[in-house]
Amino acid sequence: MTKSILLLAAGLFAAAATYAQSSIEPAKPGVTYGKSVTAEQAVAIPELQQKLQADTAFTGKIEGKVVEVCKKKGCFMKLERPTGDAIMVKFTDYAFFMPQDIVGKTVVVEGVARVNETSVERLRHFAEDAGKSKEEIAKINAPKKDIVIVADGVLVVR
């Protein structure tokens, strides 16, 4: 009996997870996720980096190209940076999620950007969610100080 209940619960969880991802609107120009966002006055990633050298936080709009999204449920994404590293974008209170087809799209995110230190444990969690191999995850052995954006809304620009 207990085994049947566990199997039923696992099946319902899998169905709910599949439905949650499939109910996210595909990424097309003009589509917004979370709070409604416009592209006016958005800063590019290099400008954001300059602003954060002079200040501890930046509140506003940031434009960038999506290079990665959480493969589990779209709970985070990463924006391309000229140096090759990506900037982590999380969503306020996990109030919304990104579709898998947003990778490669240019977006404007509105929210707060800060320079944070991310623990090894958290970095490994993000790597696991991104579908990295056990070997890649095992190589993460030091915290990372980097820009993290917490977004209230995302607009697909192109």
Side-chain angles (χ1 to χ4, degrees), residues 19-67:
Y19 174 75
Q21 182 61 42
S22 67
S23 66
I24 299 172
E25 187 173 351
K28 294 181 283 195
V31 173
T32 59
Y33 304 91
K35 174 183 157 188
S36 183
V37 176
T38 63
E40 287 82 33
Q41 299 179 340
V43 299
I45 299 294
E47 187 178 346
L48 171 68
Q49 291 175 282
Q50 289 176 342
K51 288 180 180 288
L52 288 175
Q53 287 177 350
D55 209 342
T56 58
F58 170 80
T59 301
K61 299 175 190 176
I62 303 141
E63 182 174 316
K65 181 179 176 184
V66 179
V67 292

mmCIF file of all heavy atoms in Angstrom, residues 19-67:
data_model
loop_
_atom_site.group_PDB
_atom_site.id
_atom_site.type_symbol
_atom_site.label_atom_id
_atom_site.label_comp_id
_atom_site.label_asym_id
_atom_site.label_seq_id
_atom_site.Cartn_x
_atom_site.Cartn_y
_atom_site.Cartn_z
ATOM 1 N N TYR A 19 3.750 19.949 -16.494
ATOM 2 C CA TYR A 19 2.720 20.941 -16.779
ATOM 3 C C TYR A 19 3.247 22.344 -16.509
ATOM 4 O O TYR A 19 3.031 23.256 -17.296
ATOM 5 C CB TYR A 19 1.450 20.696 -15.958
ATOM 6 C CG TYR A 19 0.432 21.792 -16.140
ATOM 7 C CD1 TYR A 19 -0.322 21.869 -17.310
ATOM 8 C CD2 TYR A 19 0.268 22.785 -15.179
ATOM 9 C CE1 TYR A 19 -1.234 22.895 -17.506
ATOM 10 C CE2 TYR A 19 -0.641 23.808 -15.359
ATOM 11 C CZ TYR A 19 -1.393 23.862 -16.523
ATOM 12 O OH TYR A 19 -2.274 24.880 -16.717
ATOM 13 N N ALA A 20 3.977 22.525 -15.393
ATOM 14 C CA ALA A 20 4.494 23.844 -15.030
ATOM 15 C C ALA A 20 5.396 24.386 -16.131
ATOM 16 O O ALA A 20 5.294 25.546 -16.510
ATOM 17 C CB ALA A 20 5.239 23.785 -13.704
ATOM 18 N N GLN A 21 6.302 23.567 -16.676
ATOM 19 C CA GLN A 21 7.199 24.031 -17.729
ATOM 20 C C GLN A 21 6.431 24.242 -19.031
ATOM 21 O O GLN A 21 6.683 25.196 -19.742
ATOM 22 C CB GLN A 21 8.347 23.045 -17.940
ATOM 23 C CG GLN A 21 9.349 23.486 -18.987
ATOM 24 C CD GLN A 21 10.046 24.793 -18.679
ATOM 25 O OE1 GLN A 21 10.439 25.056 -17.564
ATOM 26 N NE2 GLN A 21 10.189 25.646 -19.684
ATOM 27 N N SER A 22 5.486 23.370 -19.330
ATOM 28 C CA SER A 22 4.756 23.497 -20.592
ATOM 29 C C SER A 22 3.775 24.663 -20.569
ATOM 30 O O SER A 22 3.363 25.135 -21.613
ATOM 31 C CB SER A 22 4.025 22.196 -20.919
ATOM 32 O OG SER A 22 2.994 21.950 -19.988
ATOM 33 N N SER A 23 3.398 25.169 -19.381
ATOM 34 C CA SER A 23 2.461 26.285 -19.305
ATOM 35 C C SER A 23 3.167 27.638 -19.411
ATOM 36 O O SER A 23 2.526 28.667 -19.427
ATOM 37 C CB SER A 23 1.652 26.214 -18.007
ATOM 38 O OG SER A 23 2.495 26.416 -16.894
ATOM 39 N N ILE A 24 4.501 27.641 -19.489
ATOM 40 C CA ILE A 24 5.257 28.876 -19.650
ATOM 41 C C ILE A 24 5.218 29.261 -21.121
ATOM 42 O O ILE A 24 5.535 28.457 -21.990
ATOM 43 C CB ILE A 24 6.710 28.695 -19.172
ATOM 44 C CG1 ILE A 24 6.740 28.321 -17.692
ATOM 45 C CG2 ILE A 24 7.503 29.969 -19.410
ATOM 46 C CD1 ILE A 24 8.120 27.948 -17.198
ATOM 47 N N GLU A 25 4.842 30.497 -21.386
ATOM 48 C CA GLU A 25 4.738 30.963 -22.771
ATOM 49 C C GLU A 25 6.106 30.949 -23.456
ATOM 50 O O GLU A 25 7.101 31.353 -22.866
ATOM 51 C CB GLU A 25 4.167 32.382 -22.777
ATOM 52 C CG GLU A 25 3.857 32.888 -24.159
ATOM 53 C CD GLU A 25 3.124 34.220 -24.158
ATOM 54 O OE1 GLU A 25 2.706 34.690 -23.096
ATOM 55 O OE2 GLU A 25 2.987 34.773 -25.264
ATOM 56 N N PRO A 26 6.177 30.481 -24.698
ATOM 57 C CA PRO A 26 7.451 30.463 -25.430
ATOM 58 C C PRO A 26 8.039 31.874 -25.549
ATOM 59 O O PRO A 26 7.315 32.865 -25.582
ATOM 60 C CB PRO A 26 7.068 29.921 -26.807
ATOM 61 C CG PRO A 26 5.805 29.168 -26.588
ATOM 62 C CD PRO A 26 5.086 29.897 -25.482
ATOM 63 N N ALA A 27 9.361 31.949 -25.635
ATOM 64 C CA ALA A 27 10.070 33.227 -25.709
ATOM 65 C C ALA A 27 10.013 33.785 -27.129
ATOM 66 O O ALA A 27 10.644 33.266 -28.034
ATOM 67 C CB ALA A 27 11.517 33.043 -25.272
ATOM 68 N N LYS A 28 9.223 34.844 -27.299
ATOM 69 C CA LYS A 28 9.129 35.547 -28.577
ATOM 70 C C LYS A 28 9.240 37.039 -28.284
ATOM 71 O O LYS A 28 8.882 37.475 -27.192
ATOM 72 C CB LYS A 28 7.779 35.269 -29.252
ATOM 73 C CG LYS A 28 7.575 33.827 -29.676
ATOM 74 C CD LYS A 28 6.234 33.649 -30.353
ATOM 75 C CE LYS A 28 5.183 33.637 -29.266
ATOM 76 N NZ LYS A 28 3.889 33.164 -29.587
ATOM 77 N N PRO A 29 9.731 37.834 -29.231
ATOM 78 C CA PRO A 29 9.818 39.274 -28.998
ATOM 79 C C PRO A 29 8.483 39.844 -28.516
ATOM 80 O O PRO A 29 7.424 39.528 -29.048
ATOM 81 C CB PRO A 29 10.195 39.838 -30.366
ATOM 82 C CG PRO A 29 10.947 38.716 -31.015
ATOM 83 C CD PRO A 29 10.237 37.462 -30.546
ATOM 84 N N GLY A 30 8.555 40.648 -27.450
ATOM 85 C CA GLY A 30 7.364 41.277 -26.885
ATOM 86 C C GLY A 30 6.761 40.537 -25.708
ATOM 87 O O GLY A 30 5.967 41.091 -24.958
ATOM 88 N N VAL A 31 7.141 39.279 -25.498
ATOM 89 C CA VAL A 31 6.598 38.494 -24.385
ATOM 90 C C VAL A 31 7.293 38.933 -23.095
ATOM 91 O O VAL A 31 8.503 39.139 -23.065
ATOM 92 C CB VAL A 31 6.796 36.974 -24.612
ATOM 93 C CG1 VAL A 31 6.395 36.172 -23.386
ATOM 94 C CG2 VAL A 31 6.006 36.518 -25.823
ATOM 95 N N THR A 32 6.498 39.108 -22.032
ATOM 96 C CA THR A 32 7.065 39.446 -20.726
ATOM 97 C C THR A 32 6.761 38.331 -19.734
ATOM 98 O O THR A 32 5.768 37.624 -19.858
ATOM 99 C CB THR A 32 6.514 40.769 -20.164
ATOM 100 O OG1 THR A 32 5.103 40.677 -20.038
ATOM 101 C CG2 THR A 32 6.869 41.952 -21.030
ATOM 102 N N TYR A 33 7.660 38.213 -18.751
ATOM 103 C CA TYR A 33 7.516 37.251 -17.663
ATOM 104 C C TYR A 33 7.616 38.047 -16.373
ATOM 105 O O TYR A 33 8.480 38.915 -16.247
ATOM 106 C CB TYR A 33 8.614 36.183 -17.727
ATOM 107 C CG TYR A 33 8.638 35.460 -19.055
ATOM 108 C CD1 TYR A 33 9.431 35.910 -20.099
ATOM 109 C CD2 TYR A 33 7.818 34.355 -19.273
ATOM 110 C CE1 TYR A 33 9.431 35.265 -21.323
ATOM 111 C CE2 TYR A 33 7.810 33.711 -20.497
ATOM 112 C CZ TYR A 33 8.616 34.175 -21.518
ATOM 113 O OH TYR A 33 8.607 33.530 -22.738
ATOM 114 N N GLY A 34 6.719 37.779 -15.426
ATOM 115 C CA GLY A 34 6.706 38.554 -14.192
ATOM 116 C C GLY A 34 6.107 39.920 -14.448
ATOM 117 O O GLY A 34 5.190 40.080 -15.249
ATOM 118 N N LYS A 35 6.674 40.924 -13.790
ATOM 119 C CA LYS A 35 6.214 42.314 -13.924
ATOM 120 C C LYS A 35 6.382 42.795 -15.362
ATOM 121 O O LYS A 35 7.353 42.446 -16.032
ATOM 122 C CB LYS A 35 7.054 43.168 -12.965
ATOM 123 C CG LYS A 35 6.844 44.635 -13.052
ATOM 124 C CD LYS A 35 7.790 45.354 -12.092
ATOM 125 C CE LYS A 35 8.008 46.764 -12.550
ATOM 126 N NZ LYS A 35 9.040 47.426 -11.768
ATOM 127 N N SER A 36 5.459 43.603 -15.842
ATOM 128 C CA SER A 36 5.546 44.160 -17.189
ATOM 129 C C SER A 36 6.769 45.074 -17.283
ATOM 130 O O SER A 36 7.006 45.910 -16.416
ATOM 131 C CB SER A 36 4.274 44.950 -17.501
ATOM 132 O OG SER A 36 4.326 45.439 -18.811
ATOM 133 N N VAL A 37 7.554 44.894 -18.352
ATOM 134 C CA VAL A 37 8.808 45.623 -18.531
ATOM 135 C C VAL A 37 8.837 46.226 -19.926
ATOM 136 O O VAL A 37 8.372 45.608 -20.881
ATOM 137 C CB VAL A 37 10.011 44.648 -18.365
ATOM 138 C CG1 VAL A 37 11.328 45.361 -18.646
ATOM 139 C CG2 VAL A 37 10.027 44.023 -16.994
ATOM 140 N N THR A 38 9.418 47.432 -20.040
ATOM 141 C CA THR A 38 9.681 48.033 -21.341
ATOM 142 C C THR A 38 11.195 48.114 -21.518
ATOM 143 O O THR A 38 11.939 48.004 -20.546
ATOM 144 C CB THR A 38 9.077 49.453 -21.457
ATOM 145 O OG1 THR A 38 9.720 50.295 -20.493
ATOM 146 C CG2 THR A 38 7.562 49.424 -21.241
ATOM 147 N N ALA A 39 11.641 48.324 -22.737
ATOM 148 C CA ALA A 39 13.077 48.357 -23.018
ATOM 149 C C ALA A 39 13.705 49.740 -22.833
ATOM 150 O O ALA A 39 14.927 49.866 -22.840
ATOM 151 C CB ALA A 39 13.330 47.857 -24.439
ATOM 152 N N GLU A 40 12.904 50.775 -22.639
ATOM 153 C CA GLU A 40 13.435 52.131 -22.514
ATOM 154 C C GLU A 40 14.394 52.241 -21.331
ATOM 155 O O GLU A 40 14.127 51.736 -20.255
ATOM 156 C CB GLU A 40 12.304 53.162 -22.330
ATOM 157 C CG GLU A 40 11.506 53.440 -23.584
ATOM 158 C CD GLU A 40 10.425 52.384 -23.829
ATOM 159 O OE1 GLU A 40 9.864 51.853 -22.855
ATOM 160 O OE2 GLU A 40 10.170 52.079 -25.002
ATOM 161 N N GLN A 41 15.505 52.922 -21.573
ATOM 162 C CA GLN A 41 16.522 53.243 -20.564
ATOM 163 C C GLN A 41 17.243 52.011 -19.991
ATOM 164 O O GLN A 41 17.789 52.074 -18.896
ATOM 165 C CB GLN A 41 15.931 54.090 -19.431
ATOM 166 C CG GLN A 41 15.392 55.422 -19.929
ATOM 167 C CD GLN A 41 14.790 56.257 -18.826
ATOM 168 O OE1 GLN A 41 14.425 55.762 -17.770
ATOM 169 N NE2 GLN A 41 14.668 57.547 -19.076
ATOM 170 N N ALA A 42 17.260 50.917 -20.725
ATOM 171 C CA ALA A 42 17.998 49.732 -20.273
ATOM 172 C C ALA A 42 19.486 49.955 -20.517
ATOM 173 O O ALA A 42 19.871 50.531 -21.528
ATOM 174 C CB ALA A 42 17.515 48.495 -21.018
ATOM 175 N N VAL A 43 20.313 49.508 -19.577
ATOM 176 C CA VAL A 43 21.768 49.615 -19.730
ATOM 177 C C VAL A 43 22.304 48.278 -20.228
ATOM 178 O O VAL A 43 21.757 47.225 -19.912
ATOM 179 C CB VAL A 43 22.470 50.018 -18.416
ATOM 180 C CG1 VAL A 43 21.981 51.368 -17.931
ATOM 181 C CG2 VAL A 43 22.313 48.969 -17.346
ATOM 182 N N ALA A 44 23.383 48.342 -20.985
ATOM 183 C CA ALA A 44 24.046 47.126 -21.462
ATOM 184 C C ALA A 44 24.937 46.578 -20.343
ATOM 185 O O ALA A 44 25.276 47.291 -19.398
ATOM 186 C CB ALA A 44 24.862 47.431 -22.706
ATOM 187 N N ILE A 45 25.328 45.319 -20.458
ATOM 188 C CA ILE A 45 26.147 44.646 -19.443
ATOM 189 C C ILE A 45 27.448 45.415 -19.137
ATOM 190 O O ILE A 45 27.755 45.622 -17.958
ATOM 191 C CB ILE A 45 26.438 43.184 -19.853
ATOM 192 C CG1 ILE A 45 25.135 42.385 -19.985
ATOM 193 C CG2 ILE A 45 27.409 42.534 -18.880
ATOM 194 C CD1 ILE A 45 24.351 42.165 -18.719
ATOM 195 N N PRO A 46 28.226 45.878 -20.137
ATOM 196 C CA PRO A 46 29.453 46.613 -19.802
ATOM 197 C C PRO A 46 29.176 47.872 -18.959
ATOM 198 O O PRO A 46 29.920 48.182 -18.030
ATOM 199 C CB PRO A 46 30.044 46.985 -21.169
ATOM 200 C CG PRO A 46 29.517 45.927 -22.092
ATOM 201 C CD PRO A 46 28.120 45.646 -21.585
ATOM 202 N N GLU A 47 28.095 48.571 -19.265
ATOM 203 C CA GLU A 47 27.724 49.762 -18.492
ATOM 204 C C GLU A 47 27.328 49.373 -17.063
ATOM 205 O O GLU A 47 27.666 50.064 -16.101
ATOM 206 C CB GLU A 47 26.585 50.503 -19.195
ATOM 207 C CG GLU A 47 26.250 51.834 -18.553
ATOM 208 C CD GLU A 47 25.146 52.592 -19.271
ATOM 209 O OE1 GLU A 47 24.789 52.237 -20.415
ATOM 210 O OE2 GLU A 47 24.636 53.551 -18.673
ATOM 211 N N LEU A 48 26.615 48.262 -16.911
ATOM 212 C CA LEU A 48 26.253 47.770 -15.580
ATOM 213 C C LEU A 48 27.509 47.491 -14.759
ATOM 214 O O LEU A 48 27.600 47.871 -13.591
ATOM 215 C CB LEU A 48 25.406 46.499 -15.680
ATOM 216 C CG LEU A 48 25.137 45.774 -14.360
ATOM 217 C CD1 LEU A 48 24.229 46.623 -13.457
ATOM 218 C CD2 LEU A 48 24.524 44.413 -14.607
ATOM 219 N N GLN A 49 28.487 46.844 -15.372
ATOM 220 C CA GLN A 49 29.730 46.530 -14.674
ATOM 221 C C GLN A 49 30.431 47.802 -14.193
ATOM 222 O O GLN A 49 30.928 47.851 -13.069
ATOM 223 C CB GLN A 49 30.657 45.711 -15.587
ATOM 224 C CG GLN A 49 30.123 44.319 -15.835
ATOM 225 C CD GLN A 49 30.967 43.550 -16.826
ATOM 226 O OE1 GLN A 49 30.874 43.756 -18.026
ATOM 227 N NE2 GLN A 49 31.802 42.670 -16.314
ATOM 228 N N GLN A 50 30.428 48.846 -15.020
ATOM 229 C CA GLN A 50 31.031 50.125 -14.626
ATOM 230 C C GLN A 50 30.282 50.744 -13.456
ATOM 231 O O GLN A 50 30.887 51.237 -12.511
ATOM 232 C CB GLN A 50 31.052 51.096 -15.809
ATOM 233 C CG GLN A 50 32.050 50.720 -16.880
ATOM 234 C CD GLN A 50 31.964 51.653 -18.077
ATOM 235 O OE1 GLN A 50 30.990 52.364 -18.288
ATOM 236 N NE2 GLN A 50 33.016 51.638 -18.902
ATOM 237 N N LYS A 51 28.953 50.718 -13.518
ATOM 238 C CA LYS A 51 28.144 51.291 -12.438
ATOM 239 C C LYS A 51 28.402 50.572 -11.114
ATOM 240 O O LYS A 51 28.443 51.197 -10.062
ATOM 241 C CB LYS A 51 26.660 51.239 -12.795
ATOM 242 C CG LYS A 51 26.256 52.222 -13.881
ATOM 243 C CD LYS A 51 24.779 52.115 -14.193
ATOM 244 C CE LYS A 51 24.359 53.080 -15.276
ATOM 245 N NZ LYS A 51 24.332 54.483 -14.887
ATOM 246 N N LEU A 52 28.585 49.250 -11.156
ATOM 247 C CA LEU A 52 28.784 48.488 -9.921
ATOM 248 C C LEU A 52 30.209 48.613 -9.377
ATOM 249 O O LEU A 52 30.470 48.195 -8.254
ATOM 250 C CB LEU A 52 28.395 47.022 -10.130
ATOM 251 C CG LEU A 52 26.890 46.801 -10.254
ATOM 252 C CD1 LEU A 52 26.597 45.344 -10.586
ATOM 253 C CD2 LEU A 52 26.158 47.211 -8.988
ATOM 254 N N GLN A 53 31.118 49.182 -10.144
ATOM 255 C CA GLN A 53 32.444 49.482 -9.606
ATOM 256 C C GLN A 53 32.383 50.724 -8.715
ATOM 257 O O GLN A 53 33.159 50.871 -7.783
ATOM 258 C CB GLN A 53 33.453 49.695 -10.730
ATOM 259 C CG GLN A 53 33.829 48.413 -11.429
ATOM 260 C CD GLN A 53 34.781 48.636 -12.592
ATOM 261 O OE1 GLN A 53 35.039 49.765 -13.008
ATOM 262 N NE2 GLN A 53 35.306 47.548 -13.131
ATOM 263 N N ALA A 54 31.427 51.609 -9.007
ATOM 264 C CA ALA A 54 31.290 52.859 -8.260
ATOM 265 C C ALA A 54 30.221 52.790 -7.170
ATOM 266 O O ALA A 54 30.198 53.620 -6.271
ATOM 267 C CB ALA A 54 30.957 53.994 -9.227
ATOM 268 N N ASP A 55 29.331 51.817 -7.228
ATOM 269 C CA ASP A 55 28.206 51.733 -6.295
ATOM 270 C C ASP A 55 27.989 50.278 -5.893
ATOM 271 O O ASP A 55 28.400 49.365 -6.605
ATOM 272 C CB ASP A 55 26.948 52.289 -6.964
ATOM 273 C CG ASP A 55 25.970 52.895 -5.984
ATOM 274 O OD1 ASP A 55 26.071 52.608 -4.773
ATOM 275 O OD2 ASP A 55 25.087 53.658 -6.424
ATOM 276 N N THR A 56 27.298 50.055 -4.770
ATOM 277 C CA THR A 56 27.082 48.685 -4.290
ATOM 278 C C THR A 56 25.896 48.000 -4.959
ATOM 279 O O THR A 56 25.808 46.778 -4.932
ATOM 280 C CB THR A 56 26.860 48.670 -2.768
ATOM 281 O OG1 THR A 56 25.730 49.495 -2.455
ATOM 282 C CG2 THR A 56 28.081 49.162 -2.026
ATOM 283 N N ALA A 57 25.008 48.787 -5.547
ATOM 284 C CA ALA A 57 23.826 48.197 -6.189
ATOM 285 C C ALA A 57 23.369 49.093 -7.339
ATOM 286 O O ALA A 57 23.644 50.293 -7.361
ATOM 287 C CB ALA A 57 22.693 48.025 -5.189
ATOM 288 N N PHE A 58 22.676 48.475 -8.275
ATOM 289 C CA PHE A 58 22.067 49.191 -9.387
ATOM 290 C C PHE A 58 20.625 48.728 -9.480
ATOM 291 O O PHE A 58 20.350 47.526 -9.548
ATOM 292 C CB PHE A 58 22.786 48.889 -10.708
ATOM 293 C CG PHE A 58 22.050 49.411 -11.917
ATOM 294 C CD1 PHE A 58 22.129 50.740 -12.284
ATOM 295 C CD2 PHE A 58 21.241 48.566 -12.671
ATOM 296 C CE1 PHE A 58 21.439 51.222 -13.380
ATOM 297 C CE2 PHE A 58 20.543 49.036 -13.776
ATOM 298 C CZ PHE A 58 20.651 50.375 -14.129
ATOM 299 N N THR A 59 19.703 49.675 -9.468
ATOM 300 C CA THR A 59 18.286 49.357 -9.630
ATOM 301 C C THR A 59 17.840 49.936 -10.967
ATOM 302 O O THR A 59 18.029 51.126 -11.221
ATOM 303 C CB THR A 59 17.444 49.953 -8.487
ATOM 304 O OG1 THR A 59 17.924 49.422 -7.255
ATOM 305 C CG2 THR A 59 15.966 49.602 -8.648
ATOM 306 N N GLY A 60 17.274 49.075 -11.812
ATOM 307 C CA GLY A 60 16.829 49.543 -13.109
ATOM 308 C C GLY A 60 16.723 48.410 -14.104
ATOM 309 O O GLY A 60 16.513 47.259 -13.734
ATOM 310 N N LYS A 61 16.915 48.768 -15.378
ATOM 311 C CA LYS A 61 16.774 47.808 -16.472
ATOM 312 C C LYS A 61 18.127 47.476 -17.069
ATOM 313 O O LYS A 61 18.971 48.351 -17.239
ATOM 314 C CB LYS A 61 15.867 48.387 -17.557
ATOM 315 C CG LYS A 61 14.461 48.690 -17.074
ATOM 316 C CD LYS A 61 13.672 49.376 -18.151
ATOM 317 C CE LYS A 61 12.357 49.913 -17.627
ATOM 318 N NZ LYS A 61 11.644 50.671 -18.664
ATOM 319 N N ILE A 62 18.308 46.202 -17.391
ATOM 320 C CA ILE A 62 19.562 45.713 -17.943
ATOM 321 C C ILE A 62 19.247 44.872 -19.174
ATOM 322 O O ILE A 62 18.385 43.993 -19.116
ATOM 323 C CB ILE A 62 20.316 44.853 -16.908
ATOM 324 C CG1 ILE A 62 20.559 45.670 -15.630
ATOM 325 C CG2 ILE A 62 21.617 44.321 -17.479
ATOM 326 C CD1 ILE A 62 20.402 44.880 -14.373
ATOM 327 N N GLU A 63 19.951 45.136 -20.272
ATOM 328 C CA GLU A 63 19.754 44.358 -21.500
ATOM 329 C C GLU A 63 20.909 43.390 -21.687
ATOM 330 O O GLU A 63 22.070 43.740 -21.471
ATOM 331 C CB GLU A 63 19.672 45.280 -22.714
ATOM 332 C CG GLU A 63 19.409 44.514 -24.007
ATOM 333 C CD GLU A 63 19.188 45.423 -25.198
ATOM 334 O OE1 GLU A 63 18.464 46.422 -25.058
ATOM 335 O OE2 GLU A 63 19.738 45.106 -26.272
ATOM 336 N N GLY A 64 20.596 42.169 -22.074
ATOM 337 C CA GLY A 64 21.632 41.181 -22.324
ATOM 338 C C GLY A 64 21.094 39.987 -23.084
ATOM 339 O O GLY A 64 19.891 39.823 -23.253
ATOM 340 N N LYS A 65 22.031 39.153 -23.531
ATOM 341 C CA LYS A 65 21.680 37.936 -24.269
ATOM 342 C C LYS A 65 21.717 36.751 -23.312
ATOM 343 O O LYS A 65 22.691 36.559 -22.579
ATOM 344 C CB LYS A 65 22.679 37.716 -25.409
ATOM 345 C CG LYS A 65 22.382 36.499 -26.252
ATOM 346 C CD LYS A 65 23.398 36.378 -27.374
ATOM 347 C CE LYS A 65 23.167 35.106 -28.167
ATOM 348 N NZ LYS A 65 24.204 34.945 -29.190
ATOM 349 N N VAL A 66 20.666 35.941 -23.331
ATOM 350 C CA VAL A 66 20.569 34.768 -22.462
ATOM 351 C C VAL A 66 21.460 33.662 -23.015
ATOM 352 O O VAL A 66 21.347 33.292 -24.183
ATOM 353 C CB VAL A 66 19.108 34.272 -22.350
ATOM 354 C CG1 VAL A 66 19.024 33.031 -21.462
ATOM 355 C CG2 VAL A 66 18.190 35.370 -21.831
ATOM 356 N N VAL A 67 22.351 33.146 -22.154
ATOM 357 C CA VAL A 67 23.252 32.069 -22.579
ATOM 358 C C VAL A 67 22.948 30.749 -21.875
ATOM 359 O O VAL A 67 23.442 29.703 -22.289
ATOM 360 C CB VAL A 67 24.737 32.436 -22.368
ATOM 361 C CG1 VAL A 67 25.140 33.558 -23.313
ATOM 362 C CG2 VAL A 67 25.029 32.800 -20.934
#
